[in-house]
Amino acid sequence: MQTVAMTTEVSSTIIDGKFVAKNIRGEIANEVARIKDSASIVPGLAVILVGSRKDSQTYVRNKRKACEEVGIASFEASLPEDCTEEEVIKHISDFNNNPSVHGILVQLPLPRHINEEKILNAVYIEKDVDGFHPLNIGRLAMQGRDPLFVPCTPKGCMELLHRYDIEIKGKRAVVIGRSNIVGMPAALLLQRGNATVTIVHSKTQNPEEITRQADILISAAGSPNLVKGSWLKPGAVVIDVGINAVDVSSTHPLEFNGEKYSTLHINFLNFCENISLKYIRI
């Protein structure tokens, strides 16, 4: 557990994502073992990596490790940066038709010459464990419908809020960022939890005034040092979903009353996307 500097007027609780992730891994391992015993099926996850981005390679490696820890079979296809869309779709088709593969992840981002929408649409909805297929996102957006899968990082944020007994119903929630991967589905999940949700984006005027109204703030803008303490109201719960290459000795993602708070970086399972979390009680 990382300690955080406080003024005498401020107290805080850090959401311990590593502890939560450890518990979830145990729960998943037990469920996988039950499936193996009752149905003689080994769940299988396939990951497709295009190119050699270091961050993407790290994510894929973490996913492989997570699968090994909980007993899930891992499949991988690594393609060169200059591969064609047809080559990527061919691997997706092979995994779609492989009965040993129950989930498919296409590691994003893809090289610019590849149409991301076309690639993601090629994944069978029943194997779209990233939850990016338009039918899954559409169901997430509709009342009375349930997606087969939900994007993992927003789901991880919600799971942490639930496991720390943070009330969502009736609260004002603000999401900074509107990406298809995090911001938009996070807003939809908070709305499903009966929060009143506002999305702040690059064209929003006076974002600090909006964030000061938030009981729950999820920052998914991919920009370090964006949220200042003056942007927060007392008692706010803050989740920073950001991965940035910064000097951690000099960069502080959050400030409050003149104090600088370092962000706790954690690995959250589903499937091990890196997110940073802080839960501030004032």
Side-chain angles (χ1 to χ4, degrees):
M1 171 77 73
Q2 177 177 331
T3 58
V4 180
M6 299 294 168
T7 64
T8 56
E9 294 84 8
V10 179
S11 63
S12 72
T13 300
I14 294 178
I15 294 178
D16 190 347
K18 289 184 178 180
F19 176 76
V20 173
K22 182 179 179 181
N23 288 340
I24 292 176
R25 288 181 194 275
E27 294 167 8
I28 292 176
N30 290 336
E31 180 65 12
V32 169
R34 186 192 66 78
I35 293 173
K36 290 179 181 178
D37 291 340
S38 62
S40 298
I41 294 174
V42 178
L45 175 69
V47 179
I48 297 175
L49 174 64
V50 181
S52 57
R53 285 176 57 113
K54 297 299 182 184
D55 54 350
S56 292
Q57 290 175 336
T58 298
Y59 295 149
V60 170
R61 184 167 58 250
N62 287 342
K63 290 165 186 173
R64 184 193 313 123
K65 181 181 177 182
C67 285
E68 292 172 355
E69 291 181 2
V70 300
I72 293 175
S74 180
F75 303 81
E76 289 182 24
S78 296
L79 302 174
E81 182 87 15
D82 59 354
C83 71
T84 65
E85 287 183 357
E86 289 71 24
E87 289 176 298
V88 180
I89 291 175
K90 172 64 167 59
H91 283 279
I92 292 174
S93 178
D94 290 343
F95 287 139
N96 278 338
N97 296 315
N98 186 341
S100 296
V101 173
H102 304 91
I104 301 172
L105 299 175
V106 178
Q107 185 63 48
L108 301 178
L110 293 167
R112 291 187 177 182
H113 69 280
I114 293 179
N115 186 318
E116 180 180 297
E117 180 180 1
K118 183 177 179 181
I119 296 302
L120 295 180
N121 287 353
V123 178
Y124 282 174
I125 186 174
E126 297 87 355
K127 297 188 177 185
D128 173 40
V129 291
D130 253 338
F132 293 155
H133 193 285
L135 290 178
N136 274 322
I137 290 295
R139 289 177 176 178
L140 181 63
M142 297 178 68
Q143 295 186 34
R145 304 288 182 89
D146 290 316
L148 297 179
F149 300 99
V150 175
C152 63
T153 303
K155 184 177 180 180
C157 293
M158 297 298 291
E159 187 70 17
L160 286 161
L161 294 175
H162 289 315
R163 292 196 180 222
Y164 272 77
D165 295 323
I166 296 168
E167 183 69 30
I168 298 173
K169 181 180 179 180
K171 300 297 183 180
R172 287 184 174 271
V174 173
V175 178
I176 302 178
R178 53 180 172 177
S179 71
N180 291 334
I181 297 173
V182 182
M184 182 269 292
L188 292 174
L189 286 170
L190 287 164
Q191 183 173 280
R192 278 184 166 240
N194 293 309
T196 300
V197 183
T198 302
I199 295 178
V200 171
H201 50 77
S202 59
K203 302 298 188 293
T204 300
Q205 297 182 7
N206 301 317
E208 64 275 14
E209 294 183 8
I210 297 173
T211 60
R212 268 196 295 269
Q213 301 175 32
D215 301 303
I216 300 170
L217 174 65
I218 296 180
S219 178
S223 177
N225 301 314
L226 177 64
V227 178
K228 306 298 182 183
S230 60
W231 290 28
L232 306 175
K233 77 173 186 178
V237 177
V238 183
I239 299 183
D240 177 21
V241 186
I243 305 170
N244 301 285
V246 295
D247 179 1
V248 295
S249 64
S250 61
T251 300
H252 301 271
L254 180 66
E255 298 179 11
F256 191 86
N257 286 349
E259 294 291 330
K260 297 180 184 295
Y261 300 92
S262 298
T263 305
L264 176 65
H265 293 279
I266 62 96
N267 254 343
F268 184 78
L269 181 71
N270 197 9
F271 287 89
C272 289
E273 295 292 342
N274 291 317
I275 55 178
S276 310
L277 304 135
K278 186 177 296 293
Y279 171 26
I280 301 297
R281 285 291 195 195
I282 301 168

